[in-house]
């Protein structure tokens, strides 16, 4: 008799991106984590087996080598609806295996359009408000001996599903927003335990959502995808004798109007509880007065299983204060800016109308609604009477911290109201903390801002009439996003839409999904925005090691560079077309965010060269040597043209701005070490002349701190990071921000909202500094794609005495923590089995580490600096402020 060994443990087994047990592929990739292993253990092979319904082994496979992330499916491909239970164990050099993992159930969805018998259905209520949601229902019989029931469900619009009077699933705003012309996601739900022998009922409420509702700024556009809304549902019943029944949306369904009088993503929801009938989705309900439905054209070709997580309630917040404004309004403060809705528990007479208006900030004590622009952000609940009623909107979302409540019967108490944070359910993977409380608050704000903008796609803001997937914002923030959360499936899904629309329109839209009626789409390139097609897949490959994603996005990546390469002027410069430049540079006037200090053509040329070299790197990974050589040459020629056009022999740039120098330094565009040294010195002088206040916009901000550090100006980088005068990151913190703002001065020092028409208090782009906190302050950086190898190089400064970061990698958790004791630095590093790291201490000493816990020590400063001091504090440096040389 043998016993399982306890010193070798495998867990975390998942398929694809791990967001659902139901996959949209016949050959789902598998990943697992070796969470415990003996010292020095080497992974030699993995044995896998597929079990049949009785638990017997149906198939076996062996994967030689140490692969454990996104490993190819080793069994026969799955058919639509097929399930498989998979187990695995790993073997080391001694041949001793780990215990078998618990079985993981993998289920294939509907993999072929021919699997769909359901078609969308709709109903026309011409006398009603167009924005009013519609209810759809059907009864059906279930026989004895039901073995399983699967509901495949989606909608043209956003839906809320019920079965026999009870909600189905926890998803919100399903099926989410994709480029519906190309992809509509469906969910798979197990209803086996919901159904009873005899009569049953399905009910779906469908609102306009993104399908037909108003989208975009400048009053937006309606009916961007269609003028009819309705559900798509296919319920498949399998009995113990092997027989099957199917219930689909078709002409047999009925439609009616419920208590939702109005629903808009921007404007809110109106709900009249007097019109609610709790039995509407039960078999007992009489739908004789309801309307027949109309079948619409099939969308089976567009339907696909999701690759990312759905939107859910991820947190519920209680009020931190309820008070009266100077004008007498009742204001509820939830303590932080979120994306989601407000939930009520209220008791009052039938017909009482409670209104809830949402906003992110107060302005001089009153609700600050001007940043909402044309979004009403107001929910109305009309009480049905008869006791305590609970109301939570289902078909809208708001960005808010404060809620103005009017019409409340009696005195509003804290227990009567709460806020539901509704966002894509992205698992937290990274943490950061240091000895500076303001930086910790900044990091919390960055995390909260990302959560509030990860509402099914990476949006710019969650509150006003916009909430679009701006490509430039996502491009600069992806390194931070992939540290904070596991967003592989989330961003992979968005990239599918980007590539589809790029192919459709001939260029990458400024935001994805696009709204062609709002901004003309077509061939074109906007540096930093269109380049999301290149940068985001590369960043995801670095973080998650997903070579298949790189392969899938590679045509999209190359198409961006190819387009620009064919549109250069006679000097080889990307000077054609409109550019956003270094958007929202603080020197830009409130009414022209593109008019910053940096020549937009300089920005474009820098990005063109960098992205060409990134595509070359992707070609190397994909073993396309001809492509790699070509794109590397394109990038080199672009860098040479950059130097001819924008760089003097002494390393000065045509734009004497921090963004220009940060781009030139970080994108390796300068000719030699002498130019780089001079450019780094000039960058420091400009930053000093700005008194260490921010002088960069969307594209310069993610680069400027690294550029200073790499150029040898660590103290200037920390002064810039720790500045709390406007414009700066910590100015927002000192002003009470709980997320990152769109403008450095979205709130002016006197509490007045910035007069610009475009002002948001939850805009994550400037939160890209989070990546610097993780990599340079705490010191943990990617060393090899997927997190197998790490580069650990903390750079203490700014008076910090300690910092730490943890990251859940595809191979397990990594932790880095340092503590300064006078001139000495103590560093602790924890690495999971199979992981390695190269550690570079501030004194320049280098150490290679394997799995396990490690403690290291060295000087806080390089050997050519004074090792007796850990560096000046911000106060000391400010007192000795250097005045920059004249240009």
């Amino acid at each position: 008799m043998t016993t399982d060994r306890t010193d070798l443990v495998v867990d975390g087994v998942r398929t694809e991106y791990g967001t659902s047990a139901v996959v949209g592929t016949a050959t789902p990739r598998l990943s697992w984590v070796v969470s415990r292993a003996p010292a020095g253990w080497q992974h030699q092979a993995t044995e896998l087996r597929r079990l049949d319904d009785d638990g017997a082994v149906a198939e076996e496979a062996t994967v030689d080598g140490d692969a454990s992330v996104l490993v190819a499916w080793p069994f026969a491909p799955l058919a639509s609806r097929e399930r498989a239970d998979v187990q695995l164990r790993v073997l080391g050099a001694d041949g001793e295996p780990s215990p078998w993992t618990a079985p993981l159930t993998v289920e294939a969805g509907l993999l072929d359009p021919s699997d769909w018998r359901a078609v969308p259905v709709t109903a026309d209520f011409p006398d009603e408000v167009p924005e009013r949601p519609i209810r759809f229902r059907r009864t059906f019989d279930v026989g004895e001996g039901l073995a399983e029931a699967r509901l495949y469900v989606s909608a043209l619009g956003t839906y809320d599903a019920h079965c026999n009077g009870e909600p189905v699933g926890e998803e919100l705003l399903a099926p989410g927003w994709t480029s519906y012309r190309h992809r509509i996601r469906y969910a798979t739900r197990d209803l086996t335990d919901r159904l009873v022998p005899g009569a049953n009922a399905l009910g779906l409420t469908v609102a306009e959502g993104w399908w037909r509702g108003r989208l975009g700024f400048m009053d937006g556009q309606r009916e961007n995808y269609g003028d009819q809304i309705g559900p798509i549902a296919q319920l498949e019943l399998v009995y113990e004798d092997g027989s099957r029944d199917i219930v689909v949306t078709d002409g047999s369904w009925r439609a009616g109007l419920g208590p939702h009088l109005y629903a808009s993503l921007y404007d809110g929801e109106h709900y009249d509880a007097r019109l609610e009938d709790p039995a509407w989705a039960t078999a007992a309900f009489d739908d004789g007065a309801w309307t027949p439905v109309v079948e619409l054209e099939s969308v089976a070709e567009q339907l696909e299983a999701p690759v990312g997580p759905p939107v859910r309630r991820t947190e519920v917040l209680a009020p931190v204060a309820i008070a009266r404004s100077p004008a007498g309004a009742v204001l509820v403060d939830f303590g932080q800016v979120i994306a989601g809705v407000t939930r009520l528990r209220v008791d009052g007479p039938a017909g009482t109308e409670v209104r809830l208006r949402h906003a992110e900030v107060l302005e001089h004590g009153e609700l600050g609604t001007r940043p909402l622009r044309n979004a009403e952000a107001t929910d109305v609940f009309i009480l049905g009477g008869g006791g305590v009623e609970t109301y939570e909107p289902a078909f809208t979302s708001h960005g808010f911290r404060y809620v103005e409540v009017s019409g409340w019967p009696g005195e509003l108490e804290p227990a009567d109201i709460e806020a539901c944070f509704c966002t894509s359910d992205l698992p937290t993977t990274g943490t950061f903390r240091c000895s500076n409380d303001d930086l910790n608050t900044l990091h919390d704000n960055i995390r909260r801002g990302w959560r509030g903008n990860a509402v099914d796609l990476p949006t710019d803001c969650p509150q006003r009439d916009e909430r679009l997937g701006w490509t430039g914002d996502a491009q600069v923030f992806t390194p931070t996003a992939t540290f904070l959360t596991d967003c592989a499936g989330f961003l992979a899904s968005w990239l599918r839409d980007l590539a589809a629309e790029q192919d459709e329109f001939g260029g990458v839209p400024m935001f994805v999904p696009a709204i062609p009626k709002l901004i003309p789409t077509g061939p074109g390139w906007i540096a930093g925005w269109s380049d999301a097609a290149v940068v985001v897949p590369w960043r995801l490959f670095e973080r998650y090691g997903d070579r298949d994603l790189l392969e899938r996005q590679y045509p999209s990546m190359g198409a961006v560079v190819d387009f620009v390469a064919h549109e250069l002027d006679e000097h080889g410069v990307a000077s054609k077309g409109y550019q956003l430049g270094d958007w929202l540079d603080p020197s830009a006037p409130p009414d022209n965010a593109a008019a910053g200090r940096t020549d937009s053509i300089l920005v474009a040329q820098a990005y063109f060269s960098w992205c060409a070299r990134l595509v070359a790197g992707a070609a190397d990974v994909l073993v396309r040597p001809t492509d790699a050589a070509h794109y590397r040459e394109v990038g080199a020629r672009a860098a040479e043209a950059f130097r001819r056009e924008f760089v003097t022999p002494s390393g000065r740039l045509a734009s004497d701005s921090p963004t220009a120098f940060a781009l030139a330094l970080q994108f390796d565009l300068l000719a030699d070490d002498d130019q780089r040294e001079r450019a780094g010195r000039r960058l420091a002088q400009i930053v000093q002349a700005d008194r260490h206040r921010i002088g960069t916009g969307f594209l310069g901000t993610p680069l400027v701190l690294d550029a200073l550090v790499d150029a040898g100006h660590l103290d200037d980088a920390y002064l810039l990071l720790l500045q709390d005068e406007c414009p700066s990151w910590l100015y927002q913190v000192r002003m009470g921000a709980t997320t990152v703002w769109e403008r450095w001065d979205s709130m002016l020092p006197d509490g007045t909202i910035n007069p610009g028409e475009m002002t948001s208090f939850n805009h994550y782009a400037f939160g890209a500094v989070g990546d610097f906190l993780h990599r340079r302050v705490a010191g943990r950086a990617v060393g090899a794609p997927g997190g197998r190898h790490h580069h650990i190089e903390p750079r203490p400064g700014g008076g910090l005495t300690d910092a730490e970061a943890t990251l859940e990698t595809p191979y397990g958790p990594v932790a880095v923590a340092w503590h300064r004791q006078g001139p000495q630095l103590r560093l602790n590093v924890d690495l999971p089995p199979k992981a390695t790291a190269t550690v570079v201490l501030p004194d320049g000493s280098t150490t290679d580490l394997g799995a396990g816990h490690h403690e290291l020590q060295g000087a806080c400063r390089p050997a050519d600096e004074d090792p007796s001091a850990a560096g000046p504090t911000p106060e000391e440096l400010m007192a000795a402020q250097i005045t920059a040389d004249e240009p």
Side-chain angles (χ1 to χ4, degrees):
M1 178 178 179
T2 61
T3 59
D4 288 340
R5 60 188 298 178
T6 60
D7 61 347
L8 184 57
V9 177
V10 179
D11 52 28
V13 184
R14 66 179 191 169
T15 59
E16 288 298 325
Y17 300 117
T19 56
S20 174
V22 179
V23 295
T25 173
T27 54
R29 297 169 297 173
L30 298 168
S31 300
W32 57 90
V33 175
V34 179
S35 58
R36 187 187 309 160
W41 181 83
Q42 297 291 318
H43 185 183
Q44 295 294 316
T46 303
E47 295 177 345
L48 303 98
R49 62 190 187 189
R50 177 180 173 180
L51 310 180
D52 62 22
D53 292 341
D54 298 323
V57 177
E59 288 185 85
E60 294 181 290
T62 299
V63 176
D64 292 326
D66 62 357
S68 58
V69 176
L70 298 171
V71 175
W73 182 253
F75 308 117
L78 298 172
S80 291
R81 309 173 181 84
E82 186 177 6
R83 289 195 296 278
D85 286 340
V86 176
Q87 289 181 292
L88 62 90
R89 63 182 184 181
V90 297
L91 295 85
D94 59 3
E96 289 290 321
S98 69
W100 289 101
T101 61
L104 171 72
T105 299
V106 183
E107 179 176 347
L110 302 182
L111 303 180
D112 191 274
S114 64
D115 294 322
W116 285 93
R117 288 173 48 189
V119 295
V121 296
T122 192
D124 189 15
F125 295 96
D127 297 331
E128 299 296 332
V129 177
E131 293 86 352
R132 187 168 184 177
I134 303 174
R135 282 182 164 173
F136 300 84
R137 55 168 273 119
R138 187 194 149 165
T139 58
F140 57 95
D141 289 330
V142 174
E144 297 288 344
L146 180 69
E148 64 182 52
R150 287 288 187 276
L151 174 66
Y152 304 97
V153 58
S154 189
L156 309 182
T158 54
Y159 71 85
D160 189 22
H162 285 71
C163 176
N164 290 338
E166 297 296 326
V168 175
E170 299 177 347
E171 293 81 356
L172 303 172
L173 302 177
W177 189 11
T178 51
S179 179
Y180 297 126
R181 294 178 301 276
H182 305 283
R183 301 193 309 131
I184 302 173
R185 291 178 302 219
Y186 68 87
T188 305
R189 295 290 162 258
D190 183 357
L191 298 188
T192 309
D193 296 334
R194 298 288 191 93
L195 304 180
V196 297
N200 293 261
L202 276 177
L204 291 101
T205 305
V206 181
E208 292 190 315
W210 296 280
W211 177 268
R212 193 178 69 180
R214 176 166 68 98
L215 298 177
F217 40 84
M218 298 184 295
D219 294 328
Q221 292 289 333
R222 288 180 47 78
E223 300 183 358
N224 289 282
Y225 299 97
D227 59 0
Q228 299 289 338
I229 60 173
I232 309 156
Q234 183 159 312
L235 176 62
E236 301 189 358
L237 310 174
V238 181
Y239 292 91
E240 293 172 354
D241 63 4
S243 61
R244 290 176 174 266
D245 285 335
I246 187 168
V247 178
V248 301
T249 44
D250 56 19
S252 66
W253 284 58
R254 307 281 288 177
L257 297 171
H260 293 91
L261 305 180
Y262 180 89
S264 162
L265 290 169
Y266 293 167
D267 297 324
E269 179 178 295
H270 297 185
Y271 183 99
D272 189 343
R274 297 171 297 180
L275 303 179
E276 180 62 279
D277 187 335
W280 78 274
T282 68
F285 181 76
D286 181 2
D287 60 14
W290 283 32
T291 300
V293 301
V294 177
E295 293 186 6
L296 298 175
E297 185 178 348
S298 173
V299 292
E301 292 287 345
Q302 289 100 295
L303 290 168
E304 65 174 47
V307 296
V311 175
R312 294 190 178 102
R313 300 169 194 84
T314 57
E315 187 178 359
V316 177
L317 303 175
V320 299
I322 299 177
R324 292 272 179 182
S325 75
V330 175
L331 295 176
V332 183
D333 179 5
F334 288 103
Q336 57 183 268
V337 174
I338 69 167
V341 294
T342 306
R343 180 190 293 159
L344 305 179
R345 285 178 289 271
V346 56
D347 187 356
T352 302
E353 184 174 296
V354 177
R355 299 179 69 85
L356 309 164
R357 192 161 199 201
H358 304 73
E360 298 169 310
V361 296
L362 301 181
E363 186 173 27
H364 306 305
E366 303 292 344
L367 199 69
T369 58
R370 189 169 58 80
L372 300 176
R373 295 196 301 213
N374 291 328
E376 289 296 324
T378 300
D379 298 326
V380 177
F381 179 53
I382 303 172
L383 277 64
V388 176
E389 302 173 65
T390 299
Y391 169 63
E392 178 184 335
F395 300 111
T396 190
S397 180
H398 311 296
F400 68 100
R401 169 177 172 173
Y402 299 94
V403 179
E404 181 181 286
V405 181
S406 58
W408 191 270
E411 191 74 18
L412 179 64
E413 300 292 340
D416 297 331
I417 188 168
E418 53 194 4
C420 300
F421 207 145
C422 304
T423 181
S424 293
D425 196 2
L426 305 178
T428 296
T429 51
T431 67
F432 169 86
R433 191 207 64 79
C434 71
S435 59
N436 185 298
D437 288 339
D438 285 343
L439 285 183
N440 294 334
T441 299
L442 172 63
H443 192 266
D444 289 343
N445 293 355
I446 293 168
R447 180 189 302 280
R448 194 176 295 114
W450 168 233
R451 289 179 63 200
N453 279 295
V455 182
D456 200 65
L457 61 126
T459 61
D460 58 325
C461 60
Q463 78 298 109
R464 68 183 179 221
D465 54 342
E466 192 161 356
R467 314 181 197 184
L468 305 174
W470 284 93
T471 48
D473 303 41
Q475 182 264 127
V476 298
F477 194 78
T478 294
T480 301
T482 54
F483 176 90
L484 297 174
T485 58
D486 182 350
C487 53
F490 175 85
L491 289 175
S493 177
W494 181 71
L495 285 172
R496 293 187 184 194
D497 290 320
L498 185 152
E501 294 194 332
Q502 176 187 13
D503 185 60
E504 176 184 357
F505 299 124
V508 179
M510 285 192 288
F511 43 80
V512 173
I515 305 174
K517 295 179 182 179
L518 185 63
I519 292 182
T521 54
W525 171 69
I526 297 179
W529 276 257
S530 302
D531 297 321
V534 176
V535 179
V536 176
W538 183 255
R539 296 302 192 195
L540 293 181
F541 173 69
E542 286 181 327
R543 171 67 176 83
Y544 303 109
D546 189 348
R547 185 184 183 279
D548 289 357
L549 180 142
L550 207 60
E551 181 84 57
R552 191 184 72 238
Q553 297 298 136
Y554 182 76
S556 167
M557 299 171 73
V560 170
V561 175
D562 293 344
F563 176 85
V564 184
H566 286 92
E567 292 291 315
L568 301 175
D569 65 19
E570 66 273 21
H571 304 293
V573 175
S575 64
K576 299 179 182 180
Y578 174 72
Q579 295 293 336
L580 294 174
D582 191 28
W583 184 256
L584 282 169
D585 172 334
S587 68
D591 60 348
N592 188 359
R597 297 161 69 179
T598 309
D599 182 348
S600 64
I601 304 306
L602 182 153
V603 174
Q605 188 70 11
Y607 257 89
F608 172 48
S609 176
W610 181 52
C611 286
R613 284 172 280 144
L614 289 184
V615 176
D620 285 333
V621 172
L622 301 174
V623 195
R624 302 186 184 202
T626 301
D627 281 6
H630 166 70
Y631 286 114
R632 199 162 280 116
E633 175 61 23
V634 170
R637 289 200 306 269
E640 184 179 349
F642 180 94
R643 290 188 288 273
R644 286 198 308 268
E645 192 79 5
F646 301 111
V647 186
T648 71
S650 65
R652 291 296 184 98
L653 294 178
S655 290
D656 197 36
S657 70
T659 289
F661 284 96
L663 286 166
L665 289 163
Q666 295 308 105
F667 289 177
D668 194 20
L669 298 172
L670 300 175
D672 51 38
D673 289 343
D674 182 59
Q675 275 196 352
R676 282 188 285 274
E677 191 277 331
R678 288 169 175 260
R681 189 192 322 152
R682 182 59 193 153
L683 171 61
Q685 290 171 346
I686 296 170
V687 170
Q688 293 160 10
D690 287 342
R691 297 192 61 81
H692 296 97
R693 288 171 294 192
I694 285 289
T696 52
F698 272 29
L699 301 186
T701 296
L703 304 174
V704 64
L705 294 175
D706 277 300
L708 286 166
V709 172
D710 292 341
H713 301 282
L714 178 70
D715 293 332
D716 288 300
Y718 270 101
L719 280 169
L720 187 61
L721 175 65
L722 295 172
Q723 174 64 261
D724 63 7
E725 294 181 8
C726 187
S728 68
W729 288 286
L730 297 191
Y731 166 76
Q732 299 178 14
V733 170
R734 295 292 174 88
M735 289 293 290
T738 64
T739 44
V740 176
W741 299 345
E742 179 177 24
R743 294 180 181 271
W744 296 107
D745 58 349
S746 286
M747 181 70 75
L748 303 182
D750 66 355
T752 301
I753 295 171
N754 185 292
E757 182 267 344
M758 184 185 68
T759 300
S760 162
F761 291 88
N762 191 359
H763 227 86
Y764 60 66
F766 288 137
V769 69
D771 184 49
F772 181 85
L773 298 178
H774 310 147
R775 287 186 299 100
R776 309 308 289 262
V777 177
R780 192 223 64 86
V782 172
R788 185 74 181 270
H789 183 72
H790 303 268
H791 182 86
I792 298 172
E793 187 175 359
R795 298 303 304 269
L800 298 185
T801 58
D802 58 75
E804 61 187 56
T806 66
L807 179 65
E808 190 67 40
T809 78
Y811 294 91
V814 173
V816 176
W818 60 260
H819 179 72
R820 195 185 74 197
Q821 295 177 314
Q824 292 297 304
L825 182 83
R826 296 185 182 275
L827 177 68
N828 290 318
V829 177
D830 290 280
L831 299 172
K834 301 177 59 174
T836 59
T838 298
V839 176
V840 181
L841 293 176
D843 61 11
S845 60
T846 301
T847 306
D848 291 325
L849 303 178
H853 175 75
H854 307 273
E855 297 181 3
L856 301 92
Q857 182 172 332
C860 285
R861 290 270 161 159
D864 58 351
E865 297 184 22
D866 179 8
S868 65
T873 67
E875 292 77 12
E876 292 168 339
L877 280 165
M878 282 296 186
Q881 175 70 52
I882 302 172
T883 301
D885 296 336
E886 289 298 322

